[in-house]
Amino acid sequence: MADQSQSGVRLAPGVASITRVNWPGLRALYVKEVRRFFKVQLQTIWAPAITTLLFLIIFTVALGGSGRSVLGHPFADFIAPGLIVMGMLQNAFANSSFSLLVGKIQGTIVDYLMPPLSNGELLAALAGASVTRAVLVGLVVWGAMLLWPSVHVTVRHLWAILWFGVLGALFLAFLGVMTSIWAEKFDHAAAVSNFVVAPLSLLSGTFYSVEALSPTFQAISHANPFFYIISGFRYGFLGDADTSVQVGAVVVLVLDLVMGAACYALLRSGWKIKA
């Protein structure tokens, strides 16, 4: 018997009955992904927040003494925004690199492929949940730093915090989706996290200003996408940055568009997930 579209017109077999965005399905998958990491929030939200605070304690005690300042700000104030967004980026990647991969390993990938969701809707739900986790981690860390003595994380440019925080998390969410499509076991995802995400985040100017580096290493730092995210996010709190905030905003936006298009193309091709 022929299906019936939303307008009441009968459709021939094989003709899609959902011709617009499937908002109920998109919302259902997004909520499922959020609930998945929220059920273990001690591991996915609170533990990363504590780890980030430990970084703050260790580096301020080891390097922040004797009134040291960077870009005209106390050392603790300088590294605090970078630590917040670094935690956000790492957790956005961790979340999106898990979903499809665990589905492939456990044989439940069909739960993502069979529902009436387009490739764009699937990508939006996965990336949206990852950004949500990143924002929650960022809020927890920021709230703790507000109560931390001798650390000042007052918002000066809200647009920069939102732009670089959300788009930066989205960039890592897309990278995580690509990783989960490519990876065949958890070791593969861990390799990307340990040998790509962690080094790029640690060598992006989180704990130092790139202005203090030699010209060669400054050029290398400017080729690191994490540098623009962290520098722009720091600008939202300090009002100072290592590079042009406007240039950084454009770079991050372009990276998101490229990564999003690449993820969509991979999902549409079915590479390693439908074969």
Side-chain angles (χ1 to χ4, degrees):
M1 193 170 182
D3 293 331
Q4 197 168 18
S5 67
Q6 295 175 337
S7 62
V9 178
R10 291 185 179 276
L11 300 173
V15 177
S17 59
I18 301 178
T19 57
R20 299 178 181 177
V21 177
N22 182 4
W23 292 112
L26 174 60
R27 182 172 59 252
L29 180 56
Y30 167 79
V31 172
K32 170 186 175 296
E33 291 296 304
V34 171
R35 285 178 175 174
R36 177 179 60 78
F37 75 74
F38 210 75
K39 285 182 179 179
V40 288
Q41 58 179 285
L42 187 64
Q43 175 186 350
T44 57
I45 298 176
W46 298 103
I50 293 174
T51 301
T52 303
L53 290 175
L54 288 175
F55 270 115
L56 177 66
I57 297 171
I58 293 170
F59 278 91
T60 52
V61 170
L63 302 175
S66 304
R68 180 181 179 183
S69 63
V70 183
L71 293 181
H73 300 273
F75 184 72
D77 295 354
F78 174 82
I79 68 170
L83 288 173
I84 294 174
V85 73
M86 186 176 72
M88 293 174 63
L89 299 180
Q90 292 178 344
N91 281 275
F93 174 83
N95 198 78
S96 60
S97 63
F98 181 82
S99 298
L100 296 181
L101 175 57
V102 75
K104 291 193 292 183
I105 293 175
Q106 296 181 350
T108 58
I109 189 67
V110 67
D111 294 338
Y112 292 94
L113 303 179
M114 287 301 292
L117 291 171
S118 67
N119 296 313
E121 292 161 354
L122 174 61
L123 178 60
L126 296 176
S130 298
V131 172
T132 300
R133 174 174 167 180
V135 170
L136 290 176
V137 171
L139 288 175
V140 170
V141 177
W142 177 57
M145 287 183 177
L146 283 174
L147 303 176
W148 202 264
S150 71
V151 176
H152 307 91
V153 282
T154 305
V155 175
R156 294 192 180 184
H157 302 283
L158 181 60
W159 74 268
I161 295 173
L162 295 177
W163 182 273
F164 290 97
V166 173
L167 292 189
L170 187 60
F171 171 66
L172 267 294
F174 287 147
L175 180 60
V177 171
M178 294 178 68
T179 300
S180 67
I181 293 173
W182 163 77
E184 297 178 356
K185 52 185 178 179
F186 290 121
D187 286 350
H188 292 163
V192 177
S193 177
N194 294 330
F195 298 112
V196 178
V197 176
L200 288 179
S201 59
L202 292 173
L203 299 175
S204 57
T206 303
F207 305 104
Y208 55 86
S209 172
V210 298
E211 294 180 355
L213 301 177
S214 65
T216 300
F217 284 101
Q218 284 189 30
I220 294 175
S221 296
H222 281 80
N224 182 356
F226 286 61
F227 163 74
Y228 297 98
I229 298 171
I230 291 176
S231 181
F233 190 84
R234 180 184 290 126
Y235 172 81
F237 289 96
L238 302 183
D240 293 303
D242 291 313
T243 187
S244 170
V245 179
Q246 291 74 21
V247 171
V250 173
V251 169
V252 175
L253 177 61
V254 171
L255 286 172
D256 278 355
L257 293 175
V258 172
M259 292 292 289
C263 287
Y264 179 83
L266 288 174
L267 288 172
R268 186 176 182 181
S269 69
W271 181 62
K272 287 199 172 186
I273 56 176
K274 294 182 181 179

